[in-house]
Amino acid sequence: MTITDETPETIDGAARVRQRGEDAAVLRLSEAQAAAIGTDATTPDDDERVLLNMGPSHPSTHGVLRLMLEMEGETVIRSKPVVGYLHTGMEKQAEQLTFLQGCTNVTRMDYASPFFTELAFSLATEKLLDISVPERAVWIRMLMSELNRISSHLLFMATNGMDLGAVSMMIYGWREREEVLRFFEKVTGLRMNHNYIRPGGVAADLPDGWKGEIEALLELLPPRLEEYDVLMTGQPIWRERLQGVGTLNTDEALALSATGPILRSTGYAWDLRRDQPYLAYDEVDFDVIVGTYGDCYDRYAIRLNEIRESMRIVEQILDKMPSGDYRVQDKKVTPPPRIRIDQSMEALIHHFKIFTEGFKVPEGEAYACVESPRGELGIYMVSDGSSTPYRMHVRGPSFINVQAMPHLMRDSLIADVVAIISSVDPIMGEVDR
Amino acid sequence: MSDETAAAEEAGVEAVAEKAAVDLRFGAVVGESHGDVVLHASVEIYLEVCREAHADGFDQLIDLTAVDYLTYAGERTLPGGLTPERFEVVTSLINHVRRERIRIRTQVSADEPTIPSLFDLWPGSEYLEREAFDMFGITFADHPDMSRVLMPEDWVGHPLRKDYAVGAIPVQFKAASNER
């Protein structure tokens, strides 16, 4: 290809992602149009573009992501992610559930990092209720979030390795993740979909001996991460496979509303934990990991090092965990303790009322956001004064990051498509909701 | 222009602002909600407000959604004499340099649910606007691909509208042998 002044290389990043029509990286084609192309019986010429369908059931599409790829030989020109296969109307359902039941609903969205959605939901509800939770609850929430970030990134390590042919990585990542999930099970009763962080605090206090468990975990993980470095980071095959693949620059990432590791991989240091701190992140010390080239390798390296940073935060939480109550003692939102229910009729009624009718939340609207392993996870909530949200909207980072895929895939080989999907790390439960 | 007329004009502008007793930012009425800055706009000024916000350094569109206020039980009063409409498009913007967020709430009427697309300012609005169209039936003018994103392409209706009933579709199971 000869480079002339008109080639897209001369257009700045934001303008490139703003393109429409034939030049755009995004294939904007309806099902009917795509089907019409497919039934065209004429044999394609050598230089003709072919429309290729990938997914929704493909082992490397992380669930049910489907891609329409416009190919020229082995090169992807335009592409269209087709989503919605897991759509079950969770935002509509949230309007039927009380604020207390809401967490059980939202925790199923991003199933790899359920605490974050619970947290964002609780923060939005607490904003509307105008209550602040006790110190210990804040730090427990932080502890669980950071452990969840570790488990989520470990899952990424596993699937990323698997997608690229480092098949043993699948077992390794899963093994370490299970250690973290074991702790979750001890605290919340469940490995996933915990419904642990609730409006007003957390569901239960940390169990006896939690510190020992975490210390064991913090001892176990570093050598395993070093193993990952040996297995992947330094491996020439691994580097060849990822470096320079699926690049994005800062302007493009910002224009595409990309957040999290995708934005940070372009060298832009933006992390809500540091830049707009929530919980008690301003009281702990950690670094924001950034990349340089915005390629798949940077996104991999960022996640690997974020595990280390999260471990640093968890270590500090161990030292600083305050004592006290794990939920707010506001009788409006908190049910009476179990022991009181046996002693007092009023407590029994109170308990019954909170779990059947729920508590009423004042009129208003609020937006609360947290830094999930995939980017900014926000919940926009409107209440009309009843005990169910009038409207609950989730700004799922996976959903918004998916629209960066066509731009990452532009002009790359079909074999790299798998690497790119993997490095975006979408959780389809959150994409489709 | 003489100093006198300029002064008189200035006084006139002040008088208007005083009469409305509202602050304006990018031409939209400034409000507040639980510590967040909220701008209230109408469809007519929406694009201009966004354009000015973009020029002011709001470099990322972080969120865009809609709300259907059809059955809202609470009271709806908007500052600056804006008329509440059935739909509201909520756009959240972020300025990374000043670490500042604003939220623009735009009233969209039920008779003509159309609002300009922000694709040319922030291309990241593409999926979010498609989702709002899919769920609420609000059309975004000049959007490159105004199609459904989560629901099937041939779906009828917009599920998150308040007059869209929650229901179940009966599932037809294939006749299973009951030998056990």
Side-chain angles (χ1 to χ4, degrees), chain A residues 382-408:
Chain A
V382 181
S383 172
D384 64 348
S386 68
S387 55
T388 56
Y390 184 76
R391 166 98 172 98
M392 188 210 68
H393 164 75
V394 179
R395 187 236 186 247
S398 299
F399 177 65
I400 292 154
N401 288 346
V402 158
Q403 70 180 344
M405 276 185 192
H407 304 277
L408 294 166

Side-chain angles (χ1 to χ4, degrees), chain B residues 54-133:
Chain B
H54 187 261
D56 190 46
F58 283 89
D59 50 1
Q60 197 171 38
L61 176 127
I62 208 76
D63 192 22
L64 188 146
T65 186
V67 184
D68 178 4
Y69 279 99
L70 185 68
T71 58
Y72 192 73
E75 215 177 303
R76 289 189 74 206
T77 45
L78 297 171
L82 275 171
T83 336
E85 300 280 359
R86 176 176 171 185
F87 295 113
E88 197 173 277
V89 169
V90 185
T91 314
S92 301
L93 304 174
I94 189 160
N95 180 326
H96 287 101
V97 180
R98 294 202 298 263
R99 296 179 183 181
E100 188 188 355
R101 281 168 191 268
I102 53 168
R103 191 156 71 229
I104 304 169
R105 289 172 60 181
T106 314
Q107 304 301 316
V108 182
S109 80
D111 305 328
E112 200 196 339
T114 307
I115 185 167
S117 166
L118 301 179
F119 181 81
D120 286 327
L121 292 171
W122 299 281
S125 71
E126 185 173 349
Y127 269 39
L128 291 160
E129 287 176 347
R130 281 177 70 191
E131 192 194 4
F133 165 74

Side-chain angles (χ1 to χ4, degrees), chain A residues 17-20 26 28 30-32 80-81 83-84 87 91-92 95-96 127-128 253-259 268 270 272 274-276 363-367 369 376 380 382-384 390-391 393 395 399-400 402-403 431-433, chain B residues 33-34 36 38 59-75 90 94 96 99-101 103 105 119-124 126-128 131 135-136 142-145 149-151 153 159-162 164 166:
Chain A
V17 294
R18 217 172 271 141
Q19 282 172 327
R20 297 164 185 246
V26 189
R28 297 185 175 99
S30 75
E31 295 295 325
K80 177 189 183 179
V83 298
H87 179 65
E91 289 185 8
K92 183 83 172 174
E95 294 168 8
Q96 322 295 321
K127 231 174 173 179
L128 285 169
L254 286 175
L256 287 168
S257 302
T259 48
Y268 200 78
W270 179 261
L272 290 178
R274 186 199 69 176
D275 294 295
Q276 294 192 323
E363 276 175 49
E365 42 111 44
Y367 179 79
C369 54
E376 173 169 335
Y380 179 70
V382 181
S383 172
D384 64 348
Y390 184 76
R391 166 98 172 98
H393 164 75
R395 187 236 186 247
F399 177 65
I400 292 154
V402 158
Q403 70 180 344
V431 173
D432 296 338
R433 302 186 299 284
Chain B
S33 168
H34 298 279
D36 303 335
V38 182
D59 50 1
Q60 197 171 38
L61 176 127
I62 208 76
D63 192 22
L64 188 146
T65 186
V67 184
D68 178 4
Y69 279 99
L70 185 68
T71 58
Y72 192 73
E75 215 177 303
V90 185
I94 189 160
H96 287 101
R99 296 179 183 181
E100 188 188 355
R101 281 168 191 268
R103 191 156 71 229
R105 289 172 60 181
F119 181 81
D120 286 327
L121 292 171
W122 299 281
E126 185 173 349
Y127 269 39
L128 291 160
E131 192 194 4
M135 296 296 155
F136 292 93
D142 206 26
H143 187 281
D145 182 17
V149 64
L150 294 178
M151 302 301 283
E153 268 175 21
L160 281 180
R161 283 188 174 192
K162 286 287 174 178
Y164 188 97
V166 185

Side-chain angles (χ1 to χ4, degrees), chain A residues 233-254:
Chain A
T233 316
Q235 283 295 323
I237 300 172
W238 183 259
R239 297 177 86 108
E240 281 283 300
R241 195 78 173 76
L242 291 179
Q243 282 177 337
V245 171
T247 54
L248 203 68
N249 65 33
T250 307
D251 285 347
E252 290 168 334
L254 286 175

